């Protein structure tokens, strides 16, 4: 696809009337809206302003490229505006901007669209190209300048072999130094490729051998291999968003903003070749196992899923808890305590937010593995995990465990599908992300999950049957077992089996079991939160920050709050969590405490059966278990320095 397919006469304003940055943005949005490219101009404007809030798109040299990828865009387009006098756009070099290109990328933009948009960004690094546009008298001359530049760089037609990074790799090695670079901006459309182009251009002029990896909207291009990194004398990481840094451990690395690679190019390259770069030491406690093919390994993919799932867990769980303020049965239309507002909160939290937890987990795990094409099959696989049981009289599927399997399955299936279609003609390139990848990835992932999920669900039903057979045994031992089960897999089949057993006992009017599973389910996140407070040297700074959130999650009976700790160090965190939760379960049964509420944590402690003393004993049981988990974790885990 050529840039002139996206930049048209209808989206060009030869002489801007605006005098301020905000007015420029409004005027260019009007051009796009008038050309029919936007669904909602106000939403798109907000997206543009959000991007400006991350870092200015006034890159210097008289250029500004405000841009956004937005659902408010019907189809990708470029608006151009010019001000001969110049307008203050908060540019990096402090100078007024004369040339303004507003890039509007739709959320469904395919690789061909995104590469055309990024190619424009690289063209603007050419001073002669900028001068020609600045001197143009008509819209036709602007379009001709763009078309001629494309022909100069890409040939008269789109180069069928052009599937790599739009920024070429420098080839001259006059300094004898080998330098690598990574560029990445939040939207991955403009600055990513402009920085790569500027680095390549100056490196070639200075005789520096350079290879640049771009982390853009269409995925990682020109990826740095293990061999590249091993041979490199220095690495420049110019990024305003997260990139995989573990692979650079022990190498001289210059870390900077992506804009600096555009405006301070010579300084960065000079530092790289004169050994003016600190040696990068990766924090191995939060290491994402180095794997160039899977782009970060198991931990990175899992954490990508968990971090995106947690807002659903936190928001949904707290809304459910708040709904119980109006009574345990406030969401039941047939009950005298029914409250419409409470029912709405319960539906939002339990029926919607909680329902989406597993699909979101699976979707973002798959996306971490296979980039954007992995998201849809991951979501579908996660949805199958919680909706297709395949077991008679059982609903709910395999839950968290099924979601984990679905996420990794979808990610690697998508990688295989992408590889299978890598040899298609360039003319079909645009169909890959919108047709071939989703159809085949969703179909293969879905079929495998439909076949596997019944077996995973059978694990859950078997555990439930075993628990029901324990009803007549020593209740303290049952409490010990139920408590431990609530902490084993943090929302998975074992946890779900124990929780469902407690729900089933509510129907039989035996409220001790519900009190046991809720109290025990609160312990793992509370215990790890206390551990991060008492044993700071055994946790990284991000883990200590996560500990603050874990206090809230544990108090709200959201056992999944311990997942970040368990995923990072399962051999120590899971045993500590099980020990504390089992202690709490046994104490609740020993104190003979009952609870009618099926969810809510501390928000429903007022519904504990009996006197105020029972509420106090219930709190004592929870605190005791949390302290056991905290102390056990503190004893089992090593100091960060020693562990590294």
């Amino acid at each position: 696809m050529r840039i002139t397919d996206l930049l048209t006469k209808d989206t060009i304003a030869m002489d801007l009337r605006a005098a301020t940055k905000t007015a420029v943005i409004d005027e260019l949005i009007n051009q796009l809206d008038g050309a029919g490219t936007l669904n909602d101009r106000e939403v798109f404007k907000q997206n543009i302003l959000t991007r400006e809030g991350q870092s200015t798109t006034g890159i210097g040299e008289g250029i500004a490229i405000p841009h956004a990828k937005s659902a408010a865009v019907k189809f990708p387009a470029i608006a151009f505006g010019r001000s001969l006098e110049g307008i203050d756009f908060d540019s990096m070099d402090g100078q007024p901007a004369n040339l303004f290109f507003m890039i509007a990328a739709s959320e469904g933009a395919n690789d061909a669209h995104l590469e055309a948009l990024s190619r424009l960004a690289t063209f603007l690094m050419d001073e002669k190209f900028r001068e020609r546009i600045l001197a143009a008298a008509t819209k036709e001359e602007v379009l001709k300048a763009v078309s001629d530049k494309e022909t100069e760089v890409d040939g008269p037609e789109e180069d069928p072999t052009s599937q790599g990074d739009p920024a070429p790799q420098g080839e001259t090695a006059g300094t004898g130094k080998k330098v690598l670079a990574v560029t990445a901006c939040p939207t991955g459309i403009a600055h990513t490729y402009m920085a790569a182009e500027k680095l390549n251009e100056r490196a070639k002029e200075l005789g520096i051998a350079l290879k640049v990896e771009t982390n853009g909207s269409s995925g990682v291009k020109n990826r740095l291999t293990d061999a590249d990194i091993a041979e490199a004398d220095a690495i420049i990481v110019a990024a305003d968003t997260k990139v995989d840094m573990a692979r650079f451990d022990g190498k001289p690395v210059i870390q900077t903003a992506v804009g600096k690679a555009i405006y301070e190019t010579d300084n960065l390259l000079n530092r790289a070749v004169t050994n003016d770069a600190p040696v990068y030491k990766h924090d191995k406690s939060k290491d994402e196992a180095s794997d160039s093919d899977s782009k970060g390994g198991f931990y990175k993919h899992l954490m990508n899923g968990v971090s995106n799932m947690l807002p659903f867990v936190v928001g949904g769980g707290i809304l459910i808890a708040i709904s119980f303020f109006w009574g345990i049965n406030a969401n039941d239309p047939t009950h005298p305590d029914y409250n419409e507002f409470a029912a709405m909160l319960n539906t939002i939290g339990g029926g919607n937010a909680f329902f989406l937890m597993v699909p979101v987990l699976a979707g973002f795990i798959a996306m971490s593995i296979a980039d954007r094409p992995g998201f849809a099959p991951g979501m579908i696989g996660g949805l199958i995990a919680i909706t297709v049981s395949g077991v008679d009289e059982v609903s709910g599927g395999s839950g968290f465990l099924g979601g984990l399997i679905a996420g990794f399955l979808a990610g690697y299936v998508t990688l295989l599908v992408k590889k299978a279609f890598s040899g298609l003609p360039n003319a079909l390139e645009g169909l890959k992300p919108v047709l071939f990848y989703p159809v085949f990835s969703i179909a293969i992932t879905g079929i495998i999950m439909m076949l596997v999920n019944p077996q995973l669900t059978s694990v859950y039903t078997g555990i439930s049957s075993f628990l029901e057979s324990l009803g007549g045994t020593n209740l303290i031992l049952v409490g010990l077992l139920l408590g431990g089960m609530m902490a084993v897999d943090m929302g998975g089949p074992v946890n779900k089996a124990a929780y469902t057993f407690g729900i089933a006992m509510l129907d039989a009017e035996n409220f001790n079991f519900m009190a046991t599973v809720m109290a025990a389910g609160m312990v793992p996140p509370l215990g790890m939160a206390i551990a991060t407070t008492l044993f700071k040297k055994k946790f990284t700074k991000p883990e200590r920050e996560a500990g603050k959130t874990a206090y809230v999650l544990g108090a709200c009976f959201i056992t999944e709050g311990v997942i970040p700790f368990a995923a990072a160090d399962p051999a120590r965190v899971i045993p500590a969590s099980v020990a504390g939760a089992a202690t709490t379960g046994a104490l609740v049964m020993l104190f003979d405490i009952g609870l009618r509420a099926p969810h809510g944590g501390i928000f429903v402690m007022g519904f504990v059966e009996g006197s105020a003393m029972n509420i106090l004993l219930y709190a004592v049981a929870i605190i005791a278990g949390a302290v056991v988990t905290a102390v056990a974790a503190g004893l089992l885990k090593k100091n960060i320095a020693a562990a590294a």
Side-chain angles (χ1 to χ4, degrees):
M1 170 169 286
R2 296 179 70 83
I3 295 171
T4 46
D5 293 329
L6 305 174
L7 177 65
T8 67
K9 290 182 182 180
D10 292 337
T11 60
I12 294 177
M14 291 299 294
D15 296 297
L16 292 172
R17 296 186 298 273
T20 65
K21 178 176 181 176
T22 303
V24 170
I25 290 173
D26 284 332
E27 197 166 340
L28 293 177
I29 290 175
N30 286 338
Q31 289 292 131
L32 292 170
D33 196 31
T37 65
L38 303 180
N39 290 314
D40 189 323
R41 69 181 313 279
E42 291 304 320
V43 171
F44 180 66
K45 179 180 178 180
Q46 187 56 50
N47 295 146
I48 288 286
L49 294 177
T50 298
R51 172 62 187 88
E52 289 296 321
Q54 294 170 332
S55 62
T56 181
T57 58
I59 63 171
E61 307 289 347
I63 309 166
I65 310 182
H67 58 275
K69 192 171 185 180
S70 171
V73 178
K74 292 180 184 177
F75 49 85
I78 301 170
F80 168 69
R82 185 180 66 177
S83 170
L84 297 178
E85 295 79 15
I87 300 170
D88 182 4
F89 207 84
D90 299 325
S91 296
M92 295 177 186
D93 60 2
Q95 299 301 310
N98 306 98
L99 304 177
F100 305 86
F101 288 88
M102 178 173 283
I103 297 176
S106 61
E107 286 192 342
N110 59 35
D111 287 351
H113 286 123
L114 293 172
E115 289 186 8
L117 295 172
S118 63
R119 201 158 61 247
L120 170 65
T122 65
F123 289 173
L124 288 169
M125 294 294 96
D126 184 342
E127 183 178 358
K128 292 181 179 178
F129 176 65
R130 298 196 304 268
E131 290 175 351
R132 184 173 173 184
I133 291 181
L134 197 60
T138 64
K139 296 180 180 181
E140 288 80 4
E141 289 184 20
V142 170
L143 294 173
K144 184 67 165 56
V146 174
S147 179
D148 288 349
K149 182 63 177 176
E150 278 194 294
T151 301
E152 173 192 334
V153 174
D154 300 329
E157 295 182 359
E158 189 170 319
D159 184 356
T161 64
S162 178
Q163 296 184 20
D165 184 27
Q169 179 180 336
E171 298 178 354
T172 307
T175 65
K177 297 286 187 177
K178 295 182 179 179
V179 180
L180 304 180
V182 178
T183 62
C185 66
T187 53
I189 295 173
H191 287 59
T192 298
Y193 300 101
M194 296 178 74
E197 174 71 12
K198 191 64 179 288
L199 285 167
N200 272 305
E201 176 187 303
R202 291 298 297 146
K204 189 172 183 179
E205 293 172 1
L206 296 170
I208 299 171
L210 177 71
K211 179 177 179 179
V212 184
E213 171 186 297
T214 55
N215 289 236
S217 291
S218 56
V220 176
K221 299 292 180 67
N222 212 27
R223 183 183 297 280
L224 304 180
T225 66
D226 291 341
D228 291 330
I229 296 168
E231 296 173 359
D233 293 295
I235 301 163
I236 299 169
V237 178
D240 292 334
T241 188
K242 184 179 179 181
V243 298
D244 178 13
M245 294 294 295
R247 53 191 168 152
F248 303 140
D249 186 42
K251 302 294 293 187
V253 177
I254 301 170
Q255 297 187 66
T256 188
V258 68
K260 294 290 185 71
I262 300 171
Y263 188 58
E264 298 180 9
T265 319
D266 286 3
N267 178 51
L268 292 174
L269 291 171
N270 287 332
R271 287 182 59 193
V273 298
T274 57
N275 302 318
D276 183 16
V279 174
Y280 177 72
K281 295 295 183 183
H282 187 66
D283 186 347
K284 294 181 180 180
S285 66
K286 57 181 180 180
D287 190 23
E288 301 114 5
S290 180
D291 181 347
S292 60
D293 291 330
S294 61
K295 293 181 293 182
F298 176 84
Y299 179 70
K300 173 189 174 184
H301 306 321
L302 177 61
M303 285 301 96
N304 193 56
V306 170
S307 62
N308 284 284
M309 177 191 74
L310 281 180
F312 294 84
V313 178
V314 176
I318 291 177
L319 288 177
I320 292 171
I322 293 174
S323 73
F324 289 127
F325 285 163
W326 285 270
I328 297 300
N329 299 297
N331 65 317
D332 183 358
T334 64
H335 197 276
D337 291 341
Y338 174 71
N339 180 281
E340 186 175 357
F341 183 66
M344 288 173 60
L345 294 180
N346 192 278
T347 299
I348 294 168
N352 293 284
F354 265 34
F355 181 76
L356 287 172
M357 284 192 311
V358 172
V360 167
L361 171 75
F364 280 96
I365 287 175
M367 185 175 175
S368 177
I369 296 169
D371 290 327
R372 287 172 176 79
F375 185 69
M379 286 285 290
I380 297 299
L383 188 62
I384 291 173
I386 62 171
T387 57
V388 178
S389 72
V391 178
D392 293 340
E393 299 181 2
V394 175
S395 61
S398 56
F400 183 77
L401 176 62
L404 281 176
I405 293 173
F408 284 97
L409 172 67
Y412 289 110
V413 163
T414 303
L415 286 181
L416 289 174
V417 169
K418 291 170 75 173
K419 187 173 183 179
F421 287 102
S422 61
L424 286 179
N426 195 59
L428 298 176
E429 187 74 21
L431 289 178
K432 289 182 183 180
V434 297
L435 177 61
F436 298 132
Y437 294 165
V439 169
F440 284 90
S441 298
I442 289 173
I444 295 171
T445 301
I447 290 170
I448 295 175
M449 283 303 299
M450 294 285 284
L451 295 174
V452 169
N453 212 49
Q455 283 69 42
L456 296 175
T457 306
S458 295
V459 173
Y460 154 68
T461 56
I463 296 172
S464 295
S465 299
F466 170 71
L467 286 174
E468 290 173 5
S469 69
L470 295 177
T473 61
N474 186 300
L475 290 179
I476 295 178
L477 291 178
V478 174
L480 196 76
L481 178 61
L482 284 173
M485 291 175 65
M486 289 298 293
V488 168
D489 58 353
M490 302 145 284
V494 178
N495 170 285
K496 183 191 289 184
Y499 179 70
T500 304
F501 180 69
I503 295 289
M505 292 298 100
L506 283 181
D507 293 334
E509 297 192 358
N510 187 330
F511 307 126
N512 299 86
F513 295 100
M514 191 68 248
T516 298
V517 298
M518 186 180 296
M522 296 166 66
V523 165
L526 285 175
M528 293 309 299
I530 294 172
T532 60
T533 301
L534 298 180
F535 307 102
K536 289 183 170 63
K537 293 182 179 180
K538 297 177 183 288
F539 296 91
T540 64
K541 184 177 180 180
E543 286 175 332
R544 294 196 297 272
E545 290 299 315
K548 298 174 184 177
T549 304
Y551 277 113
V552 178
L553 298 179
C556 296
F557 181 44
I558 301 173
T559 314
E560 290 85 349
V562 78
I563 289 177
F565 303 100
D569 192 2
R572 297 177 178 85
V573 172
I574 292 178
S577 298
V578 170
T583 299
T584 293
L587 288 174
V588 171
M589 283 296 189
L590 176 65
F591 297 152
D592 190 25
I593 295 172
L595 180 64
R596 295 173 179 266
H599 207 290
I602 61 172
F603 296 100
V604 296
M605 287 182 65
F607 296 108
V608 166
E609 299 284 297
S611 64
M613 178 57 70
N614 279 5
I615 297 177
L616 178 61
L617 290 174
Y618 193 56
V620 168
I622 295 170
I623 294 170
V627 170
V628 168
T629 290
V631 172
L635 293 174
L636 291 172
K637 288 180 71 67
K638 299 177 181 179
N639 288 345
I640 293 301

